[in-house]
């Protein structure tokens, strides 16, 4: 991103919000004393705000943020979080290891004619790097040779919610400026490190899953008896099904807990066998009659 070589614009805001871009345009972001409720992120503040004579308390912190105001192109970087009423407050660490005074100081632009001297020049395109560490839930912002750090808790970010990430810049009302703020959106990259895969056993949700009792008809059992064919066993792992208990029962008056179709089918089978036996007996009688007739005919022949 590129800073304007003036003292007019408010700087840059790298903001996380559950709202939308239109909400930002309507209510503001994280660069001033108030903005979009519950928004948070990292800001590069390049202007002293005093809208309507009300001074931004973060800008007014001469120990950590601003000591020289206007004309010298001095700003500061910090993480901020807006409350439910939109009031912005400074959160997270000051610039890590900085010996500057104020500690968060940034010279966001200069009037050099030699941009190849190896020094930081904010009026050129420079990288802003946001790095999130999933292990300690902290975000580190790096810019102009400095780094700042804030936790998700500092920022009021809930990992179960979905957020929009907005890159914003603004200008205080009723302030004239001819500065141009530019960003190279084509140069934005989002990288997910491969080492985010944490070694160790996967987390398994556990709950006791009771087993069911099943009853199965076994015609080979003695009438009125039953036995446990398979012992039931509950489980605790949701990924492992419980083992059902199976009880076999034989014919008779034992309450099976199932439909009477089995008994009806059994009775029908017995009746069918009786009927078959009757028919066989009839056939034997017919055969005897035929034999008698044959004997009678033979007698007549004699």
């Amino acid at each position: 991103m590129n800073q304007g070589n003036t003292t007019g614009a408010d700087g840059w805001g790298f903001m996380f919000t559950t709202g939308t871009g239109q909400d930002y345009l309507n209510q503001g972001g994280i660069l001033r004393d108030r903005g979009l409720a519950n928004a948070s992120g990292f800001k590069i503040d390049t202007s002293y705000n005093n809208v309507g004579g009300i001074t931004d308390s973060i800008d007014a912190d001469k120990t950590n943020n601003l000591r020289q105001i206007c004309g010298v192109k001095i700003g500061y970087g910090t993480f901020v979080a807006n409350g439910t009423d939109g009031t912005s407050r400074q959160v997270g660490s000051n610039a890590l290891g900085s010996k500057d005074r104020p500690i968060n100081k940034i010279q966001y632009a200069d009037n050099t004619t030699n941009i190849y001297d190896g020094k930081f020049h904010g009026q050129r395109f420079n990288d802003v790097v946001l790095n999130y560490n999933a292990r300690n839930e902290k975000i580190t912002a790096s810019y102009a040779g400095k780094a700042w750090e804030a936790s998700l808790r500092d920022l009021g970010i809930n990992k179960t919610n979905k957020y929009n990430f907005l890159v914003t810049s603004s200008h205080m009302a009723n302030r004239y400026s001819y500065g141009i703020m530019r960003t190279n959106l084509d140069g934005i990259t989002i990288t997910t490190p491969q080492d985010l895969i944490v070694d160790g056993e996967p987390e398994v949700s556990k709950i006791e899953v009771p087993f069911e009792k099943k009853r199965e008809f076994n015609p080979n059992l003695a009438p009125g008896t039953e036995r446990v064919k398979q012992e039931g066993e509950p489980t605790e792992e949701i990924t492992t099904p419980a083992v059902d208990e199976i009880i076999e029962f034989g014919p008779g008056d034992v309450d099976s807990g199932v439909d009477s179709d089995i008994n009806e089918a059994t009775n029908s089978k017995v009746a069918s066998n009786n009927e078959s036996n009757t028919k066989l007996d009839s056939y034997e009688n017919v055969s005897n009659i035929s034999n008698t007739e044959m004997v009678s005919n033979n007698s007549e022949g004699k």
Side-chain angles (χ1 to χ4, degrees):
M1 45 148 268
N2 161 270
Q3 295 279 12
N5 195 2
T6 74
T7 59
D10 289 342
W12 291 94
F14 302 87
M15 183 172 68
F16 299 93
T17 175
T18 56
T20 64
Q22 187 60 52
D23 293 331
Y24 159 73
L25 293 175
N26 294 340
Q27 303 174 45
I30 57 174
L31 283 172
R32 304 178 191 170
D33 60 323
R34 296 176 66 86
L36 189 61
N38 299 316
S40 60
F42 177 72
K43 75 171 181 175
I44 300 168
D45 199 312
T46 63
S47 180
Y48 185 82
N49 292 315
N50 57 350
V51 179
I54 300 175
T55 302
D56 184 337
S57 61
I58 302 178
D59 288 352
D61 184 348
K62 293 183 179 181
T63 301
N64 295 312
N65 302 326
L66 282 176
R67 182 174 298 173
Q68 298 163 291
I69 301 172
C70 300
V72 291
K73 302 178 179 62
I74 298 296
Y76 65 94
T78 187
F79 279 99
V80 293
N82 294 353
T84 55
D85 63 348
T87 300
S88 188
R89 60 187 178 86
Q90 191 167 359
V91 298
S93 73
N94 288 318
L96 302 173
S98 173
K99 296 181 180 180
D100 285 334
R101 295 293 179 266
I103 193 170
N104 295 316
K105 169 187 171 182
I106 291 175
Q107 184 172 355
Y108 63 83
D110 56 53
N111 295 318
T112 185
T113 58
N114 179 16
I115 60 175
Y116 303 106
D117 57 2
K119 298 179 181 180
F120 175 82
H121 301 289
Q123 67 269 25
R124 305 291 296 174
F125 279 115
N126 294 280
D127 291 335
V128 177
V129 179
L130 297 180
N131 181 63
Y132 174 63
N133 187 327
R135 292 184 175 88
N136 60 17
E137 298 187 346
K138 289 185 177 181
I139 299 176
T140 302
S142 302
Y143 176 70
K146 287 185 169 68
W148 296 259
E149 190 176 73
S151 67
L152 296 188
R153 184 174 182 178
D154 293 333
L155 297 168
I157 293 177
N158 187 335
K159 291 194 298 184
T160 62
N161 294 337
K162 292 183 178 181
Y163 292 83
N164 289 315
F165 176 65
L166 307 181
V167 179
T168 68
S169 185
S170 63
H171 189 282
M172 193 178 80
N174 302 319
R175 177 179 287 176
Y176 172 77
S177 175
Y178 56 87
I180 298 176
M181 308 290 284
R182 297 181 298 166
T183 181
N184 179 13
L185 295 178
D186 291 336
I188 291 179
T189 59
I190 299 176
T191 304
T192 303
Q194 293 299 311
D195 62 359
L196 285 183
I197 301 176
V198 180
D199 296 332
E201 293 295 325
E203 182 178 346
V204 179
S205 297
K206 293 186 177 182
I207 184 174
E208 182 170 313
V209 180
F211 61 83
E212 294 184 2
K213 288 188 177 182
K214 297 181 178 181
R215 297 179 66 83
E216 295 181 351
F217 175 70
N218 186 346
N220 296 322
L221 290 180
T225 62
E226 64 177 33
R227 70 179 181 184
V228 177
K229 177 182 178 182
Q230 175 178 280
E231 293 286 349
E233 184 179 345
T235 183
E236 286 188 349
E237 291 192 10
I238 197 67
T239 54
T240 304
V243 177
D244 294 334
E245 179 177 295
I246 301 176
I247 300 175
E248 294 182 325
F249 61 92
D253 297 329
V254 177
D255 182 12
S256 64
V258 297
D259 294 337
S260 59
D261 293 345
I262 295 176
N263 290 331
E264 291 179 359
T266 304
N267 294 334
S268 298
K269 184 177 180 181
V270 173
S272 176
N273 289 337
N274 292 336
E275 184 178 342
S276 299
N277 292 335
T278 303
K279 290 181 179 179
L280 288 174
D281 291 342
S282 299
Y283 295 147
E284 289 176 0
N285 293 334
V286 171
S287 178
N288 291 336
I289 293 172
S290 300
N291 290 336
T292 303
E293 289 179 348
M294 291 176 64
V295 171
S296 174
N297 291 335
N298 289 336
S299 300
E300 289 178 358
K302 289 180 179 179

